Amino acid sequence: MEPELVIASSSTDAGVSCWDLHSGAEHLSYKNCSSPSHGLAIVAGRFLASSQLRQTRSSSGSIFYWSWNKPQVEVKSFPAEPITPLVSNADGSFIAGGGASGDIYLWQVASGKLLKKWHAHYRGVTCLVFIDDQSLLVSGAEDGSIRVWSLIMVFDDFLRQQAKRPFEHSFSEHTLKVTDIVAGSGGANAIIISASEDRTCKVWSLSRGVVLRDIVFPSIIDAIALDPGEHVFYAGGRDGKIYIGALNALAHSNSNFGPNIVGSLTEHSKGITCLAFSMDGSLLVSGSEDGTIRVWDTKNHNITRIFRHGKGPVNNILVVRPPSHLSARTSITSHPSSTKRPGLPMPPPLEKYTNSSDENNDVKAFIAPQNIPNVHLEASYVSCQTMNNQIRELEQRGSSAATEIETERLKVEHKKSMQMLQQWQKTYRDLHQFCVSEILNGEQIGNADGQGM
């Protein structure tokens, strides 16, 4: 079994805690972090990044970086406004942040340049999610709206001017603040699930731009996690319960919680703030305002482990593979000198504005290539080609950071392939079990009819 790390942060200055998911061993803790919800990210496995709750009345926000082997903040950035959600794309080329003004910021990690800023929502951005093929960015906001952005259109001024609207989809069915968004697999054909303070979770089709399912919960839902097989999803409520919502699974009409809710998990004493799955989907990790992190077996719903995060509430959880240079010697019981080993180079701080003197030289790498006559290019292909062009240009300039990005990109592609394989295997097992059950039920009915004759 490959090692996995549980990483947790808090809205109070309780730092970032790190444990081995399977052994329970505590790794190095990272200091000086007061993160907002959805404000903690892993950048391609290379380093930790977190937006910070505003500590002064200044209009500027802050974003901190930590390397794996040092507890102190190594890089500090000061955006033009406080950033709440912070997310990195899979290969670590970009970091996106959502502002309190409703603006979205997109930075290049290797150079720190602010590539684009656009007004996305009428009120503050609360959630940001990259779709698995990295072609789309989904945002949710305090005004209850959800918008889907094409990265190609974001960077291509001509396409944006020709389009009737700057976004792919705009969903406004939620009546209150959007609290969480998760995306399934399948790129532009994936589903996304959103949660809101209106006590509903909605399942959306990205390809059709419509609501597929609308589920009302007994409590406000602040966190959701999608089962890798996309049969069910888990929804963490402010009442301390984790509800199980049905997607492809059969929903019992006689459920105590209402239609399409097939059960619940109850052990936390306060509201659920964040949820995450292990890599194979066999374990669900939940964080709560009660300061605990619980690990659940998704088959029998038993708790396998409990972690405690300092003295503050937990508001962010990530489950990640540890980098190769992070070993058991970086645990809290290790000798201090072990944290001084050289790691991967850290990137520069993120820029505050886009008016750099050499802006044109760098941004042009992100513009979509010219269309070839009579050849149709899918958006996901164009997106990948554009990002690969950017990486090649950085490599030609001798950027060691870009070389690391390319290495991590290949690792991410391998991981995605393995996850897809596991998903198909799980789907096959479920289908096989369903067929066996149907055959057995049919035989029982046939025997009963024969006996009654």
Side-chain angles (χ1 to χ4, degrees):
M1 182 179 295
E2 293 189 39
E4 298 174 61
L5 297 180
V6 176
I7 300 173
S9 64
S10 172
S11 58
T12 63
D13 192 7
V16 180
S17 298
C18 184
W19 302 271
D20 186 289
L21 174 61
H22 302 291
S23 71
E26 187 170 2
H27 285 251
L28 188 68
S29 295
Y30 306 92
K31 300 178 180 179
N32 306 117
C33 180
S34 301
S35 63
S37 181
H38 308 300
L40 182 67
I42 295 291
V43 183
R46 293 178 53 215
F47 59 90
L48 297 169
S50 175
S51 54
Q52 298 296 297
L53 291 172
R54 183 169 49 184
Q55 299 177 348
T56 67
R57 294 185 178 180
S58 169
S59 60
S60 177
S62 56
I63 296 174
F64 294 168
Y65 291 171
W66 295 263
S67 66
W68 283 106
N69 292 326
K70 293 183 180 179
Q72 295 83 12
V73 177
E74 289 208 51
V75 179
K76 294 184 179 181
S77 304
F78 299 95
E81 65 169 315
I83 299 297
T84 299
L86 191 74
V87 64
S88 168
N89 68 331
D91 62 15
S93 321
F94 305 112
I95 284 179
S101 66
D103 289 349
I104 293 179
Y105 299 77
L106 194 62
W107 288 277
Q108 181 187 40
V109 173
S111 67
K113 291 189 178 300
L114 177 58
L115 301 174
K116 285 291 178 180
K117 183 190 83 169
W118 68 96
H119 192 61
H121 296 273
Y122 295 111
R123 297 184 61 187
V125 182
T126 57
C127 310
L128 287 172
V129 176
F130 279 103
I131 300 302
D132 62 356
D133 69 357
Q134 315 303 303
S135 64
L136 301 174
L137 178 67
V138 184
S139 61
E142 292 179 354
D143 58 17
S145 66
I146 297 169
R147 287 181 172 171
V148 182
W149 309 90
S150 165
L151 292 184
I152 293 302
M153 188 176 295
V154 165
F155 285 115
D156 194 315
D157 294 334
F158 177 76
L159 286 179
R160 192 166 59 253
Q161 291 171 2
Q162 295 296 312
K164 295 181 180 179
R165 56 189 186 183
F167 42 77
E168 295 291 316
H169 301 295
S170 181
F171 304 129
S172 56
E173 280 79 354
H174 283 300
T175 58
L176 294 174
K177 170 184 173 181
V178 177
T179 55
D180 201 3
I181 297 173
V182 296
S185 58
N189 295 314
I191 62 167
I192 61 172
I193 306 175
S194 60
S196 168
E197 288 186 347
D198 62 12
R199 299 199 319 172
T200 69
C201 284
K202 300 182 190 297
V203 184
W204 312 84
S205 166
L206 280 180
S207 60
R208 296 166 55 193
V210 297
V211 177
L212 301 176
R213 183 165 288 185
D214 190 349
I215 305 175
V216 180
F217 288 84
S219 172
I220 292 175
I221 301 300
D222 284 320
I224 43 181
L226 178 59
D227 172 76
E230 299 188 16
H231 293 285
V232 298
F233 69 95
Y234 294 79
R238 291 188 185 177
D239 58 0
K241 293 184 174 65
I242 303 173
Y243 298 96
I244 306 173
L247 291 174
N248 297 326
L250 294 177
H252 303 290
S253 59
N254 60 350
S255 169
N256 295 329
F257 305 112
N260 301 313
I261 304 177
V262 298
S264 69
L265 310 177
T266 307
E267 284 293 337
H268 286 287
S269 60
K270 293 184 179 180
I272 309 299
T273 58
C274 43
L275 295 169
F277 270 106
S278 62
M279 299 301 176
D280 62 1
S282 64
L283 299 175
L284 175 70
V285 185
S286 60
S288 169
E289 291 179 346
D290 63 16
T292 66
I293 298 158
R294 298 174 187 267
V295 182
W296 309 78
D297 187 310
T298 56
K299 292 183 179 179
N300 55 31
H301 297 166
N302 291 332
I303 295 176
T304 63
R305 198 171 299 280
I306 299 176
F307 303 112
R308 297 188 182 276
H309 176 66
K311 298 180 180 179
V314 178
N315 68 350
N316 288 296
I317 284 179
L318 301 173
V319 178
V320 300
R321 300 278 193 207
S324 57
H325 60 276
L326 186 70
S327 66
R329 287 176 293 177
T330 59
S331 67
I332 59 172
T333 59
S334 62
H335 192 275
S337 62
S338 66
T339 65
K340 298 181 180 180
R341 293 178 299 162
L344 298 175
M346 295 294 284
L350 303 175
E351 290 186 349
K352 193 170 187 175
Y353 304 111
T354 58
N355 58 349
S356 300
S357 59
D358 58 348
E359 179 184 2
N360 293 334
N361 292 333
D362 290 319
V363 175
K364 68 178 183 181
F366 293 88
I367 302 302
Q370 295 181 352
N371 290 332
I372 302 174
N374 302 322
V375 177
H376 175 68
L377 295 179
E378 294 292 339
S380 60
Y381 171 76
V382 175
S383 178
C384 292
Q385 184 177 7
T386 302
M387 294 180 186
N388 287 335
N389 287 343
Q390 173 253 336
I391 292 172
R392 283 195 295 271
E393 287 197 8
L394 287 173
E395 287 176 337
Q396 289 171 2
R397 295 201 298 266
S399 170
S400 60
T403 303
E404 294 294 342
I405 287 174
E406 176 66 7
T407 301
E408 293 301 328
R409 186 186 68 80
L410 294 174
K411 293 180 180 178
V412 167
E413 290 298 324
H414 177 263
K415 185 179 75 172
K416 286 169 60 178
S417 299
M418 295 303 297
Q419 289 174 341
M420 185 64 70
L421 174 61
Q422 292 172 354
Q423 180 176 331
W424 280 110
Q425 289 175 338
K426 185 177 186 300
T427 301
Y428 170 78
R429 290 195 298 269
D430 292 343
L431 181 60
H432 179 267
Q433 183 62 42
F434 174 77
C435 293
V436 170
S437 299
E438 287 293 307
I439 292 172
L440 292 177
N441 290 337
E443 290 179 351
Q444 292 174 357
I445 293 173
N447 293 335
D449 291 343
Q451 294 174 359
M453 291 178 61

